[in-house]
Short mmCIF file of all heavy atoms in Angstrom, two decimals:
data_model
loop_
_atom_site.label_atom_id
_atom_site.label_comp_id
_atom_site.label_asym_id
_atom_site.label_seq_id
_atom_site.Cartn_x
_atom_site.Cartn_y
_atom_site.Cartn_z
N MET A 23 116.03 98.39 92.87
CA MET A 23 116.88 99.55 93.07
C MET A 23 116.34 100.76 92.32
O MET A 23 115.68 100.64 91.29
CB MET A 23 118.30 99.30 92.54
CG MET A 23 119.18 98.46 93.41
SD MET A 23 120.89 98.63 92.85
CE MET A 23 121.62 97.26 93.73
N LEU A 24 116.67 101.92 92.89
CA LEU A 24 116.56 103.17 92.15
C LEU A 24 117.97 103.51 91.70
O LEU A 24 118.83 103.81 92.53
CB LEU A 24 115.98 104.28 93.02
CG LEU A 24 115.91 105.67 92.37
CD1 LEU A 24 115.09 105.64 91.09
CD2 LEU A 24 115.32 106.69 93.34
N THR A 25 118.23 103.41 90.40
CA THR A 25 119.56 103.68 89.90
C THR A 25 119.71 105.15 89.55
O THR A 25 118.73 105.85 89.29
CB THR A 25 119.88 102.83 88.66
OG1 THR A 25 119.05 103.25 87.56
CG2 THR A 25 119.64 101.36 88.95
N GLU A 26 120.95 105.60 89.54
CA GLU A 26 121.20 107.02 89.29
C GLU A 26 120.86 107.42 87.86
O GLU A 26 120.33 108.51 87.62
CB GLU A 26 122.68 107.33 89.56
CG GLU A 26 123.04 108.80 89.41
CD GLU A 26 124.49 109.07 89.77
OE1 GLU A 26 125.34 108.19 89.52
OE2 GLU A 26 124.77 110.15 90.30
N THR A 27 121.12 106.54 86.89
CA THR A 27 121.00 106.94 85.48
C THR A 27 119.84 106.30 84.74
O THR A 27 119.43 106.80 83.69
CB THR A 27 122.30 106.59 84.73
OG1 THR A 27 122.56 105.18 84.86
CG2 THR A 27 123.46 107.39 85.28
N CYS A 28 119.29 105.21 85.27
CA CYS A 28 118.26 104.48 84.52
C CYS A 28 117.02 104.18 85.35
O CYS A 28 116.27 103.24 85.04
CB CYS A 28 118.84 103.18 83.94
SG CYS A 28 120.10 103.47 82.69
N GLY A 29 116.79 104.93 86.40
CA GLY A 29 115.55 104.81 87.16
C GLY A 29 115.40 103.51 87.91
O GLY A 29 116.37 102.89 88.36
N LEU A 30 114.15 103.08 88.04
CA LEU A 30 113.82 101.87 88.80
C LEU A 30 114.15 100.62 87.99
O LEU A 30 113.68 100.47 86.85
CB LEU A 30 112.33 101.87 89.15
CG LEU A 30 111.89 102.95 90.13
CD1 LEU A 30 110.39 103.15 90.06
CD2 LEU A 30 112.31 102.60 91.56
N ARG A 31 114.94 99.76 88.59
CA ARG A 31 115.31 98.50 87.92
C ARG A 31 115.40 97.38 88.94
O ARG A 31 115.64 97.61 90.13
CB ARG A 31 116.67 98.64 87.22
CG ARG A 31 116.70 99.62 86.05
CD ARG A 31 115.77 99.19 84.92
NE ARG A 31 115.89 100.07 83.77
CZ ARG A 31 116.61 99.80 82.68
NH1 ARG A 31 117.29 98.66 82.60
NH2 ARG A 31 116.65 100.64 81.68
N THR A 32 115.26 96.15 88.46
CA THR A 32 115.40 94.97 89.31
C THR A 32 116.59 94.15 88.84
O THR A 32 116.75 93.90 87.64
CB THR A 32 114.12 94.11 89.28
OG1 THR A 32 113.02 94.91 89.71
CG2 THR A 32 114.25 92.92 90.22
N PHE A 33 117.41 93.73 89.80
CA PHE A 33 118.63 92.99 89.50
C PHE A 33 118.62 91.65 90.22
O PHE A 33 118.07 91.53 91.31
CB PHE A 33 119.87 93.77 89.94
CG PHE A 33 120.06 95.08 89.23
CD1 PHE A 33 119.44 96.24 89.71
CD2 PHE A 33 120.83 95.15 88.08
CE1 PHE A 33 119.61 97.44 89.06
CE2 PHE A 33 121.00 96.37 87.42
CZ PHE A 33 120.39 97.51 87.90
N LEU A 34 119.26 90.68 89.62
CA LEU A 34 119.45 89.37 90.23
C LEU A 34 120.82 89.34 90.89
O LEU A 34 121.84 89.62 90.26
CB LEU A 34 119.35 88.27 89.17
CG LEU A 34 119.61 86.84 89.66
CD1 LEU A 34 118.58 86.42 90.70
CD2 LEU A 34 119.60 85.87 88.48
N ALA A 35 120.82 89.02 92.18
CA ALA A 35 122.08 88.85 92.92
C ALA A 35 122.23 87.38 93.26
O ALA A 35 121.65 86.89 94.25
CB ALA A 35 122.06 89.71 94.19
N ARG A 36 122.98 86.68 92.45
CA ARG A 36 123.13 85.23 92.64
C ARG A 36 123.95 84.92 93.89
O ARG A 36 124.99 85.51 94.12
CB ARG A 36 123.80 84.61 91.42
CG ARG A 36 122.96 84.66 90.16
CD ARG A 36 123.54 83.79 89.07
NE ARG A 36 122.79 83.90 87.83
CZ ARG A 36 121.66 83.24 87.57
NH1 ARG A 36 121.16 82.42 88.49
NH2 ARG A 36 121.05 83.40 86.42
N GLY A 37 123.42 84.00 94.70
CA GLY A 37 124.13 83.55 95.89
C GLY A 37 124.14 84.53 97.04
O GLY A 37 124.81 84.29 98.05
N ALA A 38 123.37 85.63 96.92
CA ALA A 38 123.41 86.67 97.96
C ALA A 38 122.84 86.20 99.30
O ALA A 38 123.09 86.83 100.33
CB ALA A 38 122.67 87.92 97.48
N LYS A 39 122.07 85.10 99.29
CA LYS A 39 121.52 84.58 100.55
C LYS A 39 122.49 83.64 101.26
O LYS A 39 122.27 83.27 102.41
CB LYS A 39 120.21 83.82 100.27
CG LYS A 39 119.04 84.72 99.88
CD LYS A 39 118.49 85.47 101.08
CE LYS A 39 117.75 84.56 102.02
NZ LYS A 39 117.16 85.28 103.16
N LYS A 40 123.58 83.29 100.60
CA LYS A 40 124.56 82.41 101.23
C LYS A 40 125.30 83.17 102.32
O LYS A 40 125.61 84.36 102.17
CB LYS A 40 125.55 81.88 100.19
CG LYS A 40 124.94 80.93 99.19
CD LYS A 40 125.98 80.43 98.21
CE LYS A 40 125.37 79.45 97.21
NZ LYS A 40 126.37 78.98 96.21
N GLN A 41 125.62 82.51 103.39
CA GLN A 41 126.22 83.14 104.56
C GLN A 41 127.54 83.85 104.24
O GLN A 41 127.82 84.93 104.76
CB GLN A 41 126.44 82.10 105.66
CG GLN A 41 126.84 82.71 106.99
CD GLN A 41 126.88 81.66 108.09
OE1 GLN A 41 126.70 80.47 107.84
NE2 GLN A 41 127.10 82.10 109.31
N LYS A 42 128.33 83.29 103.37
CA LYS A 42 129.65 83.85 103.06
C LYS A 42 129.65 84.69 101.78
O LYS A 42 130.71 85.07 101.29
CB LYS A 42 130.68 82.73 102.96
CG LYS A 42 130.91 81.99 104.27
CD LYS A 42 132.00 80.94 104.13
CE LYS A 42 132.24 80.22 105.44
NZ LYS A 42 133.31 79.19 105.33
N SER A 43 128.48 85.00 101.27
CA SER A 43 128.43 85.77 100.02
C SER A 43 128.97 87.19 100.22
O SER A 43 128.65 87.87 101.20
CB SER A 43 126.97 85.86 99.52
OG SER A 43 126.88 86.78 98.45
N HIS A 44 129.78 87.65 99.27
CA HIS A 44 130.31 89.01 99.31
C HIS A 44 129.25 90.04 98.95
O HIS A 44 129.45 91.24 99.12
CB HIS A 44 131.51 89.13 98.35
CG HIS A 44 131.15 88.96 96.91
ND1 HIS A 44 130.79 87.74 96.37
CD2 HIS A 44 131.07 89.85 95.90
CE1 HIS A 44 130.52 87.88 95.09
NE2 HIS A 44 130.68 89.15 94.77
N LEU A 45 128.10 89.57 98.46
CA LEU A 45 127.02 90.48 98.08
C LEU A 45 126.05 90.74 99.23
O LEU A 45 125.35 91.75 99.24
CB LEU A 45 126.22 89.89 96.91
CG LEU A 45 126.96 89.63 95.60
CD1 LEU A 45 126.00 89.03 94.58
CD2 LEU A 45 127.57 90.91 95.06
N SER A 46 126.00 89.83 100.18
CA SER A 46 124.94 89.82 101.18
C SER A 46 124.78 91.14 101.93
O SER A 46 123.69 91.73 101.98
CB SER A 46 125.19 88.69 102.18
OG SER A 46 124.15 88.67 103.15
N ALA A 47 125.85 91.65 102.52
CA ALA A 47 125.76 92.85 103.36
C ALA A 47 125.31 94.07 102.56
O ALA A 47 124.57 94.92 103.06
CB ALA A 47 127.11 93.13 104.02
N ALA A 48 125.74 94.16 101.30
CA ALA A 48 125.43 95.33 100.48
C ALA A 48 124.00 95.34 99.97
O ALA A 48 123.55 96.35 99.42
CB ALA A 48 126.40 95.41 99.31
N MET A 49 123.28 94.25 100.15
CA MET A 49 121.92 94.17 99.63
C MET A 49 120.87 94.59 100.65
O MET A 49 119.67 94.38 100.45
CB MET A 49 121.62 92.75 99.13
CG MET A 49 122.49 92.31 97.94
SD MET A 49 122.27 93.33 96.46
CE MET A 49 123.66 94.47 96.56
N GLN A 50 121.28 95.18 101.76
CA GLN A 50 120.33 95.65 102.76
C GLN A 50 119.59 96.87 102.23
O GLN A 50 120.18 97.71 101.55
CB GLN A 50 121.05 96.00 104.06
CG GLN A 50 121.81 94.84 104.70
CD GLN A 50 120.90 93.65 104.97
OE1 GLN A 50 119.83 93.80 105.56
NE2 GLN A 50 121.31 92.48 104.52
N PRO A 51 118.29 96.99 102.52
CA PRO A 51 117.54 98.16 102.06
C PRO A 51 118.20 99.47 102.47
O PRO A 51 118.75 99.58 103.56
CB PRO A 51 116.18 97.98 102.73
CG PRO A 51 116.04 96.50 102.89
CD PRO A 51 117.43 96.02 103.22
N TYR A 52 118.15 100.44 101.56
CA TYR A 52 118.62 101.83 101.73
C TYR A 52 120.14 101.94 101.69
O TYR A 52 120.69 102.99 101.99
CB TYR A 52 118.04 102.48 102.99
CG TYR A 52 116.64 102.00 103.26
CD1 TYR A 52 116.29 101.39 104.47
CD2 TYR A 52 115.65 102.10 102.27
CE1 TYR A 52 115.02 100.90 104.68
CE2 TYR A 52 114.38 101.59 102.47
CZ TYR A 52 114.07 101.00 103.68
OH TYR A 52 112.81 100.49 103.88
N THR A 53 120.81 100.84 101.30
CA THR A 53 122.25 100.90 101.08
C THR A 53 122.50 101.54 99.71
O THR A 53 121.82 101.22 98.73
CB THR A 53 122.87 99.50 101.11
OG1 THR A 53 122.57 98.88 102.36
CG2 THR A 53 124.38 99.55 100.92
N VAL A 54 123.46 102.45 99.65
CA VAL A 54 123.86 103.05 98.39
C VAL A 54 125.04 102.24 97.86
O VAL A 54 126.07 102.12 98.54
CB VAL A 54 124.27 104.53 98.57
CG1 VAL A 54 124.62 105.16 97.22
CG2 VAL A 54 123.15 105.32 99.25
N VAL A 55 124.88 101.66 96.69
CA VAL A 55 125.90 100.74 96.19
C VAL A 55 126.42 101.17 94.82
O VAL A 55 125.69 101.72 93.99
CB VAL A 55 125.36 99.29 96.10
CG1 VAL A 55 125.09 98.73 97.47
CG2 VAL A 55 124.11 99.22 95.24
N ILE A 56 127.70 100.92 94.62
CA ILE A 56 128.33 101.01 93.31
C ILE A 56 128.80 99.60 92.99
O ILE A 56 129.53 98.99 93.78
CB ILE A 56 129.51 101.99 93.30
CG1 ILE A 56 129.02 103.40 93.68
CG2 ILE A 56 130.18 102.03 91.93
CD1 ILE A 56 130.14 104.41 93.86
N PHE A 57 128.36 99.06 91.86
CA PHE A 57 128.66 97.66 91.59
C PHE A 57 128.92 97.41 90.10
O PHE A 57 128.51 98.19 89.23
CB PHE A 57 127.51 96.76 92.07
CG PHE A 57 126.19 96.99 91.37
CD1 PHE A 57 125.81 96.22 90.29
CD2 PHE A 57 125.32 97.98 91.82
CE1 PHE A 57 124.59 96.41 89.65
CE2 PHE A 57 124.09 98.19 91.19
CZ PHE A 57 123.73 97.40 90.11
N GLU A 58 129.62 96.31 89.87
CA GLU A 58 129.79 95.81 88.50
C GLU A 58 128.59 94.94 88.18
O GLU A 58 128.21 94.07 88.98
CB GLU A 58 131.07 94.98 88.38
CG GLU A 58 132.35 95.78 88.43
CD GLU A 58 133.56 94.89 88.23
OE1 GLU A 58 133.38 93.71 87.84
OE2 GLU A 58 134.68 95.36 88.45
N GLY A 59 128.01 95.16 87.03
CA GLY A 59 126.85 94.37 86.66
C GLY A 59 126.34 94.80 85.30
O GLY A 59 127.09 95.37 84.50
N ALA A 60 125.08 94.53 85.08
CA ALA A 60 124.50 94.88 83.78
C ALA A 60 123.01 95.15 83.94
O ALA A 60 122.34 94.52 84.77
CB ALA A 60 124.73 93.76 82.77
N PHE A 61 122.52 96.08 83.15
CA PHE A 61 121.08 96.30 83.04
C PHE A 61 120.49 95.22 82.14
O PHE A 61 121.18 94.64 81.30
CB PHE A 61 120.78 97.67 82.44
CG PHE A 61 121.11 98.83 83.35
CD1 PHE A 61 122.22 99.62 83.11
CD2 PHE A 61 120.31 99.12 84.44
CE1 PHE A 61 122.54 100.68 83.94
CE2 PHE A 61 120.61 100.18 85.28
CZ PHE A 61 121.72 100.97 85.04
N ALA A 62 119.21 94.97 82.34
CA ALA A 62 118.51 94.02 81.46
C ALA A 62 118.49 94.57 80.04
O ALA A 62 118.45 95.78 79.81
CB ALA A 62 117.09 93.81 81.96
N LYS A 63 118.53 93.66 79.05
CA LYS A 63 118.47 94.09 77.66
C LYS A 63 117.12 94.73 77.36
O LYS A 63 117.02 95.66 76.55
CB LYS A 63 118.72 92.90 76.74
CG LYS A 63 120.15 92.37 76.83
CD LYS A 63 120.38 91.20 75.89
CE LYS A 63 121.82 90.70 75.99
NZ LYS A 63 122.07 89.55 75.09
N LYS A 64 116.08 94.24 78.03
CA LYS A 64 114.75 94.85 77.93
C LYS A 64 114.42 95.47 79.28
O LYS A 64 114.74 94.90 80.33
CB LYS A 64 113.69 93.81 77.56
CG LYS A 64 113.89 93.21 76.18
CD LYS A 64 112.77 92.22 75.86
CE LYS A 64 112.96 91.64 74.46
NZ LYS A 64 111.88 90.66 74.13
N THR A 65 113.78 96.64 79.26
CA THR A 65 113.53 97.38 80.49
C THR A 65 112.84 96.54 81.55
O THR A 65 113.14 96.64 82.74
CB THR A 65 112.67 98.63 80.20
OG1 THR A 65 113.34 99.42 79.23
CG2 THR A 65 112.45 99.46 81.45
N ALA A 66 111.91 95.69 81.14
CA ALA A 66 111.12 94.91 82.10
C ALA A 66 111.84 93.66 82.60
O ALA A 66 111.34 92.97 83.48
CB ALA A 66 109.78 94.52 81.48
N GLY A 67 113.02 93.37 82.05
CA GLY A 67 113.72 92.16 82.45
C GLY A 67 114.59 92.36 83.68
O GLY A 67 114.53 93.39 84.35
#
Side-chain angles (χ1 to χ4, degrees):
M23 283 194 194
L24 176 57
T25 67
E26 184 177 33
T27 57
C28 294
L30 293 162
R31 295 297 185 99
T32 302
F33 297 87
L34 176 62
R36 293 191 184 279
K39 289 286 288 182
K40 292 181 179 179
Q41 190 173 5
K42 295 183 179 180
S43 170
H44 65 289
L45 299 179
S46 180
M49 296 298 98
Q50 300 303 310
Y52 325 122
T53 303
V54 183
V55 293
I56 300 173
F57 63 95
E58 288 183 11
F61 290 106
K63 292 181 180 179
K64 295 182 179 180
T65 303

